[in-house]
Amino acid sequence: MSLEIHDISKSFEDNHVLSNINFSVKDGEFVSLLGPSGSGKSTLFSIIGGMSQPSGGSIYLDREKINGKRGSISYMPQSSSLFPWRTILDNVVLGQEIAGKVDKEKALEMIERAGLKGYENSYPRQLSGGMKQRVSFIRSLLSPQSLILLDEPFSALDEFTRTKMQKWLLSIWEEHKRSILFITHNIEEAIFLSDRIIILSNKPATVKKEFIIPFDRPRDVNLLLSEEFLTWKKKIYEEM
C-alpha cells in the first residue's frame, strides 16, 4: 500500500510545526524519519492517522485522500499500549476484533514466531519491555491495514534488547512486506532497518534530505561494524 504526503503543513496558532512536507512510501517499503526532538514527527503521524487535521496539504493512501480519516493505518506508539486487563492473545487480536474478523489461529502462530509461546494467556504485567513490544508489533501486523506507523518503538529498551528487537522486526517484516514508516532519533537504527531515510529540519519542519540506503537484504548485525556502514552514519550525521 503506497502513501503520498503532499505539501503538509501544521500550525497551532502561532506555533508553526510542519511546513510543506512532501514524500512518499512505496508498497512494501521501509522508510525512516529522522529529525531533531520537537521537529514535528509525531505530529505528522497523528495527521497521517487521521487524529489531527493538517493546516494545509493532502495525504493519499493508494491514491485515496485520507485527511481526517481514522482507521486507514496501523499505529504502534513508543510505549506498547497494551490493555492490562486483556491477555496477550486478546491484545494481539484487538485490531482484527475492531475490523470484525478475528483469526486466533493466525494470532497464535505469530505469537509463537515471536518467541512468546506459552504466554498467550498471560497479562502485560508479566512480560518484559521487549516482550511487550513484540506483542504490540504483532497486533499491528495482524490488523487489516497495510501501512504501519512505528513511533520510536524501541527507544525505551537497552542496547542489547534493542538490537535483538531490530533483527526480529526485520525478519518478520521481510516475510510479510507491509509498508512501514518509522520514527527514530537513532541514526544506526535508521540505516540498519530502512530502504530510505528522510531527514526533517528543525521546526517548522521541512524535508531537508533523502537518502537511499544501498545495503542488501536480509541484513546482519555485522553490518553495523563495517566501514561502509560507518561512512553512511557519518554522512547522515553531518546532514542532521
Side-chain angles (χ1 to χ4, degrees), residues 46-96:
S46 72
I47 291 171
I48 296 171
M51 294 173 282
S52 175
Q53 284 278 7
S55 303
S58 301
I59 307 141
Y60 294 92
L61 197 60
D62 276 353
R63 300 184 181 181
E64 178 189 351
K65 189 173 180 179
I66 59 167
N67 287 39
K69 183 178 178 182
R70 301 191 181 194
S72 300
I73 58 94
S74 180
Y75 174 63
M76 179 178 167
Q78 294 180 30
S79 61
S80 57
S81 298
L82 304 177
F83 289 120
W85 61 87
R86 293 178 71 114
T87 65
I88 299 312
L89 178 59
D90 288 340
N91 267 290
V92 158
V93 299
L94 180 62
Q96 293 183 331

Side-chain angles (χ1 to χ4, degrees), residues 22-61:
N22 289 276
F23 67 86
S24 64
V25 179
K26 298 172 187 172
D27 186 33
E29 191 177 27
F30 198 124
V31 176
S32 286
L33 290 176
L34 272 174
S37 294
S39 61
K41 300 183 292 297
S42 295
T43 298
L44 180 59
F45 265 26
S46 72
I47 291 171
I48 296 171
M51 294 173 282
S52 175
Q53 284 278 7
S55 303
S58 301
I59 307 141
Y60 294 92
L61 197 60

Side-chain angles (χ1 to χ4, degrees), residues 115-165:
L116 296 171
K117 185 175 174 62
Y119 289 93
E120 300 89 347
N121 297 314
S122 299
Y123 290 89
R125 66 178 180 276
Q126 299 171 284
L127 273 59
S128 69
M131 293 165 79
K132 289 177 186 176
Q133 290 302 83
R134 276 181 273 170
V135 173
S136 187
F137 184 65
I138 294 167
R139 181 176 61 190
S140 298
L141 273 177
L142 290 174
S143 295
Q145 301 88 351
S146 297
L147 173 67
I148 302 175
L149 306 186
L150 304 179
D151 190 352
E152 295 194 86
F154 309 141
S155 61
L157 305 178
D158 63 81
E159 187 174 352
F160 177 78
T161 306
R162 185 175 187 141
T163 302
K164 189 176 179 181
M165 286 297 300

Side-chain angles (χ1 to χ4, degrees), residues 17-18 33-43 78 151-152 183-187 198-209 236-237 239-240:
V17 180
L18 305 172
L33 290 176
L34 272 174
S37 294
S39 61
K41 300 183 292 297
S42 295
T43 298
Q78 294 180 30
D151 190 352
E152 295 194 86
I183 287 178
T184 179
H185 286 98
N186 188 302
I187 296 174
I198 294 166
I199 308 290
L200 297 182
S201 68
N202 273 310
K203 70 175 187 180
T206 60
V207 173
K208 190 176 181 183
K209 189 83 173 181
I236 292 172
Y237 177 80
E239 188 60 48
M240 292 182 68

